[in-house]
Amino acid sequence: MNILITGGAGFIGSHVVRLFVNKYPSYKIINLDKLTYAGNLENLKDIEDRENYKFVKADICDFDAMCRLMKDEAIDGIIHLAAESHVDRSIKDPFTFARTNVMGTLSLLQAAKLYWESLPERYEGKRFYHISTDEVYGALELTHPKGIEPPFSTTASSSQHHLAYGDTFFYEDTKYQPHSPYSASKASSDHFVRAYHDTYGMPTIVTNCSNNYGPYQFPEKLIPLFINNIRHRKPLPVYGKGENVRDWLYVEDHARAIDLIFHKGKVAETYNIGGFNEWKNIDIIKVLIKTVDRVLGRGEFEDLGLITYVTDRAGHDMRYAIDSTKLQKELGWEPSLQFEEGIEKTVRWYLDNQKWMDNVTSGDYQNYYSSMYDNR
Ligand code: NAD
Ligand code: TYD
């Protein structure tokens, strides 16, 4: 199988590429990435010389390039992660989000359609797997501000924290109600993917996952940004009151779900991915302070004073909470890590990989890798 993974130099994509390259030596894995500010080939240093791996620098919006690539590499399956992914950036620059997330996805869909329809077997054995987010469903209400036991039994390993902050969850058939330009662009791309199944019979799958955390996440997102700020004793800008709730999943558990769904998921289905792991931002921030201070040998909660409440994000969604029962029951997936373990691993990874962080924050990674591939 020749598999195209888009956005493989980004946070989640790099974990998916690593998993596939290591687990499937007989597949050829083509990582296509534009190397925007969020793409960093340093994330894949450990597998870059593998025989079953190839990197291609390209923009998914470049339709001719996508058509050539589908044919030249005889692509059988696509796992599409390339996107603009940060809500705050989408508020400042929505056009870039519409371009990459909507037009880029459409360009990839059409290139896949033209190539696969030109083959004698057409769509037989082919798959277009689109990675989306829970943010397309909009925002849930925070009806239990102190949290309650969730009304379903979570898997034993899934959560120690085990609280729900509302009575409702995002299900696969929850109505799309995106609020941010980011989630609106992802929602639009999801609709295009489903339309290609319904109109042309393309074997598509869409998954909607909750917030991911773990190594190699760009430090504009809450968890890596705050770990780095605590380390350097910089202020921690908490939006609003810090009461917003997010549902967190360790990135390698998302990558395992993607592997399972790519191989075993039913065509035209949607699967929600999440670990039943809701946290208020302010509580997570306290866990981060406690963990970083302990690992660095500082006094307990020595850095609590870094918390700085700032103006809220425009249109800030109050609560996200995924119900992933379908994935757990139908395909037997479950998260492997408890949150406390995942946070410990994550904090230690960022503290142990200060050079990675310094390269990213200084912008050095871009100069090095971009010029390397531009010259090819
Ligand atoms: P990321 O921003 O870390 O990485 C995105 C990657 O896409 C980068 O490597 C970037 O260079 C590449 N890219 C951007 N525009 C491109 C273009 N026009 N052509 C080719 N490549 C391009 O994002 P992430 O957090 O790893 O998210 C990956 C996917 O998963 C996205 O589709 C996102 O919507 C989805 N998702 C993310 C989360 C999360 O918590 N991070 C949760 C659910 C779903
Ligand atoms: P983020 O990591 O940007 O993910 P998303 O917006 O996709 O959920 O933010 C996670 C939560 O943390 C979100 O409620 C916004 C909040 N937040 C802050 O309070 N301060 C910050 O500096 C950032 C980046 C996020």
Side-chain angles (χ1 to χ4, degrees):
M1 251 201 154
N2 299 326
I3 299 176
L4 175 65
I5 300 181
T6 69
F11 166 48
I12 302 171
S14 63
H15 288 275
V16 176
V17 166
R18 178 175 297 101
L19 177 67
F20 273 68
V21 166
N22 284 329
K23 189 167 169 187
Y24 302 107
S26 66
Y27 290 0
K28 183 169 177 195
I29 306 300
I30 295 114
N31 170 15
L32 181 145
D33 200 294
K34 185 183 173 184
L35 299 183
T36 66
Y37 79 92
N40 182 358
L41 287 174
E42 220 178 304
N43 299 356
L44 290 166
K45 260 191 137 10
D46 53 325
I47 57 102
E48 69 185 4
D49 294 327
R50 294 294 175 76
E51 270 182 18
N52 63 339
Y53 172 72
K54 178 174 176 179
F55 175 71
V56 176
K57 184 178 174 186
D59 185 338
I60 53 168
C61 300
D62 183 345
F63 176 61
D64 292 339
M66 293 308 103
C67 290
R68 274 197 308 275
L69 184 95
M70 289 298 299
K71 205 168 160 207
D72 291 351
E73 301 292 347
I75 298 296
D76 301 302
I78 299 176
I79 304 178
H80 176 37
L81 296 111
E84 289 291 336
S85 67
H86 189 39
V87 174
D88 293 328
R89 284 181 190 256
S90 81
I91 294 168
K92 292 200 186 89
D93 176 21
F95 281 104
T96 306
F97 283 69
R99 180 183 178 277
T100 285
N101 298 0
V102 186
M103 292 306 289
T105 300
L106 183 55
S107 148
L108 203 58
L109 281 164
Q110 184 66 7
K113 172 183 183 292
L114 293 183
Y115 172 60
W116 288 338
E117 287 188 356
S118 75
L119 301 173
E121 75 272 22
R122 289 174 65 87
Y123 291 120
E124 188 68 40
K126 306 292 184 278
R127 184 149 290 195
F128 190 109
Y129 177 3
H130 177 61
I131 308 299
S132 192
T133 163
D134 59 357
E135 304 193 23
V136 298
Y137 297 125
L140 294 165
E141 280 183 48
L142 193 146
T143 46
H144 299 289
K146 288 192 176 10
I148 50 159
E149 284 292 308
F152 30 69
S153 63
T154 55
T155 48
S157 60
S158 70
S159 174
Q160 211 162 275
H161 166 74
H162 214 61
L163 289 178
Y165 290 96
D167 303 301
T168 51
F169 297 85
F170 293 140
Y171 307 97
E172 282 80 2
D173 59 359
T174 296
K175 185 170 92 168
Y176 273 33
Q177 256 184 318
H179 298 298
S180 73
Y182 163 64
S183 52
S185 67
K186 290 296 290 185
S188 173
S189 64
D190 295 8
H191 291 319
F192 270 108
V193 173
R194 295 190 178 104
Y196 266 64
H197 171 267
D198 297 349
T199 309
Y200 308 112
M202 183 180 286
T204 59
I205 293 190
V206 177
T207 56
N208 299 82
C209 188
S210 61
N211 284 60
N212 284 214
Y213 70 98
Y216 302 113
Q217 187 168 31
F218 195 83
E220 62 186 350
K221 305 276 169 65
L222 181 78
I223 290 187
L225 176 72
F226 278 33
I227 293 173
N228 198 40
N229 283 12
I230 299 164
R231 180 191 184 120
H232 295 291
R233 296 213 149 112
K234 292 208 268 194
L236 307 174
V238 182
Y239 299 161
K241 293 184 182 151
E243 294 281 298
N244 302 65
V245 171
R246 296 291 180 267
D247 184 356
W248 293 92
L249 183 68
Y250 192 66
V251 62
E252 287 179 5
D253 281 330
H254 188 191
R256 281 195 308 109
I258 290 172
D259 174 23
L260 183 67
I261 293 163
F262 180 75
H263 289 97
K264 302 261 167 64
K266 276 201 222 127
V267 163
E269 291 285 323
T270 297
Y271 299 89
N272 279 352
I273 309 174
F276 295 108
N277 184 39
E278 294 178 51
W279 284 79
K280 282 188 183 181
N281 291 341
I282 193 64
D283 292 336
I284 268 201
I285 291 161
K286 287 180 184 159
V287 171
L288 290 176
I289 293 173
K290 192 173 170 184
T291 313
V292 175
D293 281 349
R294 176 170 45 74
V295 175
L296 291 179
R298 298 177 183 169
E300 197 177 29
F301 285 125
E302 201 174 308
D303 290 309
L304 266 187
L306 296 175
I307 292 177
T308 310
Y309 291 94
V310 299
T311 310
D312 208 354
R313 172 187 278 171
H316 197 173
D317 286 337
M318 183 45 88
R319 171 175 171 251
Y320 301 146
I322 276 277
D323 184 318
S324 61
T325 306
K326 174 176 169 180
L327 175 62
Q328 302 205 1
K329 285 210 169 127
E330 288 186 14
L331 298 183
W333 172 89
E334 60 174 66
S336 67
L337 279 188
Q338 290 182 352
F339 190 61
E340 284 72 4
E341 279 177 79
I343 281 292
E344 179 82 22
K345 272 177 89 156
T346 303
V347 165
R348 286 186 182 275
W349 189 87
Y350 285 102
L351 296 180
D352 289 346
N353 288 276
Q354 190 58 39
K355 194 159 174 293
W356 179 92
M357 183 62 88
D358 290 344
N359 273 345
V360 173
T361 44
S362 68
D364 280 355
Y365 70 108
Q366 276 194 309
N367 305 333
Y368 178 65
Y369 283 107
S370 291
S371 56
M372 192 161 104
Y373 282 95
D374 283 343
N375 291 340
R376 279 197 177 174

